[in-house]
Amino acid sequence: MNRKTTTLFFLVLLILPLLCFSQSTKKTVPKVSFDFIDADVRNVIRILAEVSGKNIIISEAVKGKVTMKLEDVYWDEALEMVTTASGLKKIDTDKIIRIVTQKEFDDDTKKKGEERETFRKERLEKQRMGEEFVTETVYLNYANPADMEKVLKGGDSAGAAGSQKKGFLSEFGTITQVPWNNALIVKDTRDNIDTIMKIVKEQDIKPPQIQIDCKIVQATSTFSKELGIAWGTSYAGRIGNTGWGTTGGQHVTSFSQTTTGTTVTWVPNVGEVGIKNGSLIPYNINLPSTLAQGSGGVLGLYIGDATDAFQLDMQISALEQDGKGRILSNPKVITSNNKKAIIQQGKSIPYQTVSTSGTQTQFAEAVLGLEVTPSVTNDGFIKLEILAKKDQADFINQSQGVPTIDKKQATTLMYVRDGETAVIGGIYERQENDSENGLPGLRNIPLLGWLFKKNATSDSKTELLIFITPRIIKDLYKNEG
């Protein structure tokens, strides 16, 4: 065999299988053509049986005539049309086709249904008597017996034997919880026991453990400024035999009534005085800033003559305060999948209530708390139902000696990827106050008006932010020893 022949031979070997597999699959059912007028339906069916090569059994009750004209149709389509037109039913198995009347078909269906029902009742009776039941103890590792029983019963946590309508138990199957061993005792058929064991194995898996890290940041910024003036004049002179002078406001500190008359003692307001001849006298204009010890500043000026007939005493006071603060709260909690976790820290403030039962002491909660229910999804996210709150006692604002509760909280439902941080809430609050106190009319004089008034300005800002970070703890069950 030369080289050319050898090459041709191998090409044929390669191409021939490709040609064979490339042929399209064609329907192998033979086609027929019929033209019958008032033909006996039994004979038509027999002819179709010859063409099909299948075994066909025709019931004795099958009778009638059929007229048909078919051209180049498949034999099974022709048989379907003949039986339908004649009101017959076809029961097809692998190699045998039965042709029966509609009544026979209905009777046969009813009979089979009755046989199945009889078999079911006999089996249920055997199950009720316990003849087909086996008992198996199913131990659980992570699932709660009560929860697993509810799943196996299809939602019913309890029920008498024979009352099950859904779930994986038979009608007379039973489940008994064993809490101290974390197990279930199942009594049912062997098939159902095997199914239950498979379901328990699939569902009794260690739940993911999630650490919830919450940061509550409260930032405050305050600014206040006050500018005021206190000044007084004193002038002593006489008009005729009458002496006169100027003084500031005074108030009464004591008042008494006697038989000889009324005794009134006048003194100046403490801390609101100047000096004359070594004695305290009240300021004529007294509008200083609110100074505490160690804050703000005062600048004083005193002018007087040699005989103290005229005196001028002036004090300018100013106060400016600027403060910033940040409070960081960081509650953390670890919980299982789909289990609520609660962590709280704070105080219980007692208060009393009066009723027909008497005086009772109750408590108002001022706590920093986090409530969260996590659920791990199949795509790597964590569903979080969150309640984060920060309640503080406000001892400045009290009611009958009991401080009010300053509440800040956020409730939400969100999806966060494992390890990511999300902001679940923010509250921004700003309070600005401007006030001016002074003598009517005089405080409105251009340029000189500041001598007769006091200005106060305050600006307070508060911002609250809540951050949440869930993390799946993958090695919580790892045995390091």
Side-chain angles (χ1 to χ4, degrees), residues 125-160:
E125 183 62 23
K126 290 181 180 180
Q127 292 177 359
R128 188 179 67 82
M129 299 300 294
E131 295 178 4
E132 294 187 358
F133 279 0
V134 294
T135 302
E136 193 81 34
T137 300
V138 182
Y139 291 96
L140 305 174
N141 295 317
Y142 306 100
N144 182 274
D147 295 337
M148 185 60 72
E149 179 186 3
K150 187 175 180 180
V151 171
L152 296 177
K153 287 186 174 181
D156 298 324
S157 59

Short mmCIF file of all heavy atoms in Angstrom, two decimals, residues 125-160:
data_model
loop_
_atom_site.label_atom_id
_atom_site.label_comp_id
_atom_site.label_asym_id
_atom_site.label_seq_id
_atom_site.Cartn_x
_atom_site.Cartn_y
_atom_site.Cartn_z
N GLU A 125 -54.18 1.16 59.76
CA GLU A 125 -54.61 0.34 60.89
C GLU A 125 -53.42 -0.41 61.48
O GLU A 125 -53.27 -0.51 62.71
CB GLU A 125 -55.69 -0.65 60.43
CG GLU A 125 -56.26 -1.52 61.54
CD GLU A 125 -56.97 -0.71 62.63
OE1 GLU A 125 -57.40 0.42 62.34
OE2 GLU A 125 -57.09 -1.22 63.75
N LYS A 126 -52.56 -0.90 60.62
CA LYS A 126 -51.35 -1.57 61.10
C LYS A 126 -50.45 -0.59 61.85
O LYS A 126 -49.86 -0.91 62.87
CB LYS A 126 -50.58 -2.19 59.93
CG LYS A 126 -51.28 -3.38 59.31
CD LYS A 126 -50.45 -3.95 58.17
CE LYS A 126 -51.14 -5.14 57.52
NZ LYS A 126 -50.34 -5.71 56.41
N GLN A 127 -50.39 0.65 61.30
CA GLN A 127 -49.58 1.66 61.98
C GLN A 127 -50.19 2.02 63.33
O GLN A 127 -49.47 2.21 64.31
CB GLN A 127 -49.46 2.90 61.11
CG GLN A 127 -48.63 2.70 59.85
CD GLN A 127 -48.58 3.94 58.98
OE1 GLN A 127 -49.19 4.95 59.31
NE2 GLN A 127 -47.86 3.86 57.86
N ARG A 128 -51.51 2.13 63.35
CA ARG A 128 -52.18 2.46 64.61
C ARG A 128 -51.94 1.39 65.65
O ARG A 128 -51.76 1.68 66.84
CB ARG A 128 -53.68 2.65 64.38
CG ARG A 128 -54.44 3.19 65.58
CD ARG A 128 -55.90 3.37 65.25
NE ARG A 128 -56.55 2.08 65.03
CZ ARG A 128 -57.00 1.28 66.01
NH1 ARG A 128 -56.87 1.65 67.27
NH2 ARG A 128 -57.57 0.13 65.74
N MET A 129 -51.92 0.16 65.23
CA MET A 129 -51.66 -0.95 66.14
C MET A 129 -50.17 -1.11 66.42
O MET A 129 -49.77 -1.92 67.27
CB MET A 129 -52.21 -2.25 65.54
CG MET A 129 -53.72 -2.23 65.30
SD MET A 129 -54.67 -1.98 66.81
CE MET A 129 -54.27 -3.50 67.68
N GLY A 130 -49.35 -0.32 65.71
CA GLY A 130 -47.92 -0.37 65.95
C GLY A 130 -47.22 -1.53 65.29
O GLY A 130 -46.06 -1.83 65.62
N GLU A 131 -47.85 -2.18 64.35
CA GLU A 131 -47.25 -3.36 63.73
C GLU A 131 -46.09 -3.00 62.81
O GLU A 131 -45.16 -3.78 62.65
CB GLU A 131 -48.31 -4.14 62.95
CG GLU A 131 -49.41 -4.72 63.85
CD GLU A 131 -50.47 -5.45 63.05
OE1 GLU A 131 -50.28 -5.56 61.82
OE2 GLU A 131 -51.46 -5.91 63.64
N GLU A 132 -46.14 -1.78 62.18
CA GLU A 132 -45.10 -1.40 61.24
C GLU A 132 -44.18 -0.32 61.80
O GLU A 132 -43.34 0.22 61.10
CB GLU A 132 -45.73 -0.88 59.94
CG GLU A 132 -46.48 -1.93 59.16
CD GLU A 132 -46.94 -1.42 57.82
OE1 GLU A 132 -46.70 -0.23 57.54
OE2 GLU A 132 -47.53 -2.19 57.05
N PHE A 133 -44.31 0.02 63.07
CA PHE A 133 -43.54 1.11 63.66
C PHE A 133 -42.22 0.62 64.25
O PHE A 133 -42.12 -0.50 64.76
CB PHE A 133 -44.35 1.81 64.75
CG PHE A 133 -45.35 2.79 64.22
CD1 PHE A 133 -45.49 2.99 62.87
CD2 PHE A 133 -46.15 3.51 65.09
CE1 PHE A 133 -46.42 3.90 62.37
CE2 PHE A 133 -47.09 4.42 64.60
CZ PHE A 133 -47.21 4.60 63.24
N VAL A 134 -41.25 1.49 64.17
CA VAL A 134 -39.98 1.30 64.86
C VAL A 134 -39.71 2.56 65.67
O VAL A 134 -40.25 3.63 65.38
CB VAL A 134 -38.82 1.02 63.88
CG1 VAL A 134 -39.01 -0.29 63.17
CG2 VAL A 134 -38.68 2.17 62.88
N THR A 135 -38.88 2.44 66.69
CA THR A 135 -38.55 3.56 67.56
C THR A 135 -37.07 3.88 67.44
O THR A 135 -36.24 2.97 67.47
CB THR A 135 -38.91 3.25 69.01
OG1 THR A 135 -40.31 2.94 69.10
CG2 THR A 135 -38.61 4.43 69.92
N GLU A 136 -36.77 5.17 67.27
CA GLU A 136 -35.40 5.60 67.09
C GLU A 136 -35.16 6.86 67.92
O GLU A 136 -36.02 7.75 68.00
CB GLU A 136 -35.12 5.90 65.61
CG GLU A 136 -33.67 6.06 65.27
CD GLU A 136 -32.96 4.73 65.08
OE1 GLU A 136 -33.60 3.77 64.59
OE2 GLU A 136 -31.78 4.67 65.43
N THR A 137 -33.99 6.93 68.57
CA THR A 137 -33.59 8.13 69.31
C THR A 137 -32.70 8.98 68.41
O THR A 137 -31.67 8.51 67.92
CB THR A 137 -32.84 7.79 70.60
OG1 THR A 137 -33.70 6.99 71.44
CG2 THR A 137 -32.45 9.05 71.35
N VAL A 138 -33.12 10.22 68.21
CA VAL A 138 -32.39 11.15 67.36
C VAL A 138 -31.72 12.19 68.25
O VAL A 138 -32.41 12.98 68.91
CB VAL A 138 -33.33 11.83 66.34
CG1 VAL A 138 -32.54 12.75 65.43
CG2 VAL A 138 -34.09 10.78 65.52
N TYR A 139 -30.39 12.18 68.29
CA TYR A 139 -29.65 13.14 69.11
C TYR A 139 -29.35 14.40 68.31
O TYR A 139 -28.98 14.34 67.14
CB TYR A 139 -28.35 12.51 69.61
CG TYR A 139 -28.56 11.41 70.61
CD1 TYR A 139 -28.58 10.08 70.20
CD2 TYR A 139 -28.77 11.70 71.96
CE1 TYR A 139 -28.79 9.06 71.12
CE2 TYR A 139 -28.98 10.69 72.88
CZ TYR A 139 -28.99 9.37 72.46
OH TYR A 139 -29.21 8.36 73.37
N LEU A 140 -29.52 15.54 68.98
CA LEU A 140 -29.29 16.84 68.35
C LEU A 140 -28.04 17.47 68.93
O LEU A 140 -27.76 17.34 70.13
CB LEU A 140 -30.49 17.76 68.57
CG LEU A 140 -31.86 17.22 68.14
CD1 LEU A 140 -32.95 18.19 68.55
CD2 LEU A 140 -31.90 17.00 66.64
N ASN A 141 -27.29 18.15 68.09
CA ASN A 141 -26.08 18.84 68.54
C ASN A 141 -26.31 20.32 68.82
O ASN A 141 -25.87 20.85 69.84
CB ASN A 141 -24.98 18.70 67.48
CG ASN A 141 -24.53 17.26 67.31
OD1 ASN A 141 -24.36 16.53 68.28
ND2 ASN A 141 -24.36 16.82 66.08
N TYR A 142 -26.99 20.99 67.93
CA TYR A 142 -27.13 22.45 68.03
C TYR A 142 -28.59 22.90 68.09
O TYR A 142 -28.89 23.92 68.69
CB TYR A 142 -26.46 23.12 66.82
CG TYR A 142 -25.03 22.71 66.63
CD1 TYR A 142 -24.67 21.75 65.69
CD2 TYR A 142 -24.02 23.26 67.42
CE1 TYR A 142 -23.35 21.36 65.52
CE2 TYR A 142 -22.70 22.89 67.26
CZ TYR A 142 -22.37 21.93 66.31
OH TYR A 142 -21.08 21.55 66.14
N ALA A 143 -29.49 22.16 67.47
CA ALA A 143 -30.88 22.57 67.42
C ALA A 143 -31.58 22.30 68.75
O ALA A 143 -31.20 21.39 69.49
CB ALA A 143 -31.61 21.86 66.28
N ASN A 144 -32.59 23.07 69.03
CA ASN A 144 -33.41 22.88 70.21
C ASN A 144 -34.45 21.79 69.92
O ASN A 144 -35.08 21.79 68.86
CB ASN A 144 -34.09 24.20 70.59
CG ASN A 144 -34.93 24.07 71.84
OD1 ASN A 144 -36.09 23.68 71.79
ND2 ASN A 144 -34.34 24.40 72.97
N PRO A 145 -34.66 20.83 70.84
CA PRO A 145 -35.63 19.75 70.58
C PRO A 145 -37.03 20.26 70.25
O PRO A 145 -37.70 19.72 69.37
CB PRO A 145 -35.62 18.94 71.88
CG PRO A 145 -34.27 19.19 72.48
CD PRO A 145 -33.94 20.61 72.11
N ALA A 146 -37.46 21.31 70.96
CA ALA A 146 -38.80 21.84 70.70
C ALA A 146 -38.89 22.43 69.29
O ALA A 146 -39.89 22.24 68.58
CB ALA A 146 -39.17 22.89 71.74
N ASP A 147 -37.84 23.15 68.87
CA ASP A 147 -37.85 23.72 67.52
C ASP A 147 -37.81 22.63 66.46
O ASP A 147 -38.50 22.71 65.43
CB ASP A 147 -36.66 24.67 67.35
CG ASP A 147 -36.75 25.88 68.26
OD1 ASP A 147 -37.88 26.22 68.66
OD2 ASP A 147 -35.71 26.49 68.56
N MET A 148 -36.98 21.60 66.67
CA MET A 148 -36.89 20.53 65.69
C MET A 148 -38.21 19.75 65.61
O MET A 148 -38.64 19.35 64.52
CB MET A 148 -35.74 19.60 66.05
CG MET A 148 -35.49 18.50 65.02
SD MET A 148 -35.08 19.15 63.37
CE MET A 148 -33.42 19.77 63.68
N GLU A 149 -38.86 19.53 66.74
CA GLU A 149 -40.16 18.84 66.73
C GLU A 149 -41.18 19.63 65.91
O GLU A 149 -41.97 19.07 65.15
CB GLU A 149 -40.66 18.64 68.15
CG GLU A 149 -42.02 17.95 68.20
CD GLU A 149 -42.59 17.88 69.60
OE1 GLU A 149 -41.97 18.42 70.52
OE2 GLU A 149 -43.68 17.29 69.76
N LYS A 150 -41.14 20.95 66.09
CA LYS A 150 -42.07 21.79 65.34
C LYS A 150 -41.83 21.67 63.84
O LYS A 150 -42.77 21.63 63.04
CB LYS A 150 -41.91 23.24 65.79
CG LYS A 150 -42.92 24.19 65.22
CD LYS A 150 -42.75 25.58 65.82
CE LYS A 150 -43.78 26.55 65.26
NZ LYS A 150 -43.63 27.91 65.84
N VAL A 151 -40.55 21.60 63.43
CA VAL A 151 -40.23 21.45 62.00
C VAL A 151 -40.72 20.12 61.48
O VAL A 151 -41.33 20.02 60.40
CB VAL A 151 -38.71 21.60 61.79
CG1 VAL A 151 -38.33 21.22 60.36
CG2 VAL A 151 -38.27 23.03 62.07
N LEU A 152 -40.46 19.04 62.22
CA LEU A 152 -40.82 17.70 61.75
C LEU A 152 -42.33 17.51 61.69
O LEU A 152 -42.84 16.72 60.89
CB LEU A 152 -40.19 16.65 62.66
CG LEU A 152 -38.66 16.62 62.66
CD1 LEU A 152 -38.15 15.59 63.66
CD2 LEU A 152 -38.11 16.33 61.27
N LYS A 153 -43.06 18.23 62.55
CA LYS A 153 -44.52 18.13 62.53
C LYS A 153 -45.16 19.15 61.61
O LYS A 153 -46.38 19.27 61.56
CB LYS A 153 -45.07 18.31 63.95
CG LYS A 153 -44.83 17.09 64.83
CD LYS A 153 -45.52 17.25 66.17
CE LYS A 153 -45.39 15.98 66.99
NZ LYS A 153 -46.08 16.08 68.31
N GLY A 154 -44.34 19.90 60.89
CA GLY A 154 -44.89 20.84 59.92
C GLY A 154 -45.51 22.06 60.54
O GLY A 154 -46.45 22.63 59.98
N GLY A 155 -45.01 22.47 61.73
CA GLY A 155 -45.52 23.69 62.34
C GLY A 155 -46.27 23.46 63.61
O GLY A 155 -46.50 24.37 64.37
N ASP A 156 -46.70 22.22 63.89
CA ASP A 156 -47.44 21.93 65.11
C ASP A 156 -46.46 21.41 66.16
O ASP A 156 -45.86 20.36 65.98
CB ASP A 156 -48.54 20.88 64.88
CG ASP A 156 -49.58 21.38 63.89
OD1 ASP A 156 -49.87 22.58 63.91
OD2 ASP A 156 -50.09 20.56 63.11
N SER A 157 -46.30 22.15 67.24
CA SER A 157 -45.37 21.73 68.28
C SER A 157 -45.91 20.57 69.10
O SER A 157 -45.17 19.88 69.78
CB SER A 157 -45.06 22.91 69.21
OG SER A 157 -46.25 23.39 69.80
N ALA A 158 -47.19 20.34 69.06
CA ALA A 158 -47.78 19.23 69.80
C ALA A 158 -49.03 18.76 69.08
O ALA A 158 -49.65 19.49 68.33
CB ALA A 158 -48.10 19.64 71.24
N GLY A 159 -49.40 17.53 69.32
CA GLY A 159 -50.60 16.99 68.70
C GLY A 159 -50.73 15.52 69.01
O GLY A 159 -49.74 14.79 69.16
N ALA A 160 -51.97 15.07 69.14
CA ALA A 160 -52.20 13.67 69.46
C ALA A 160 -51.94 12.80 68.23
O ALA A 160 -52.02 13.25 67.09
CB ALA A 160 -53.63 13.48 69.96
#
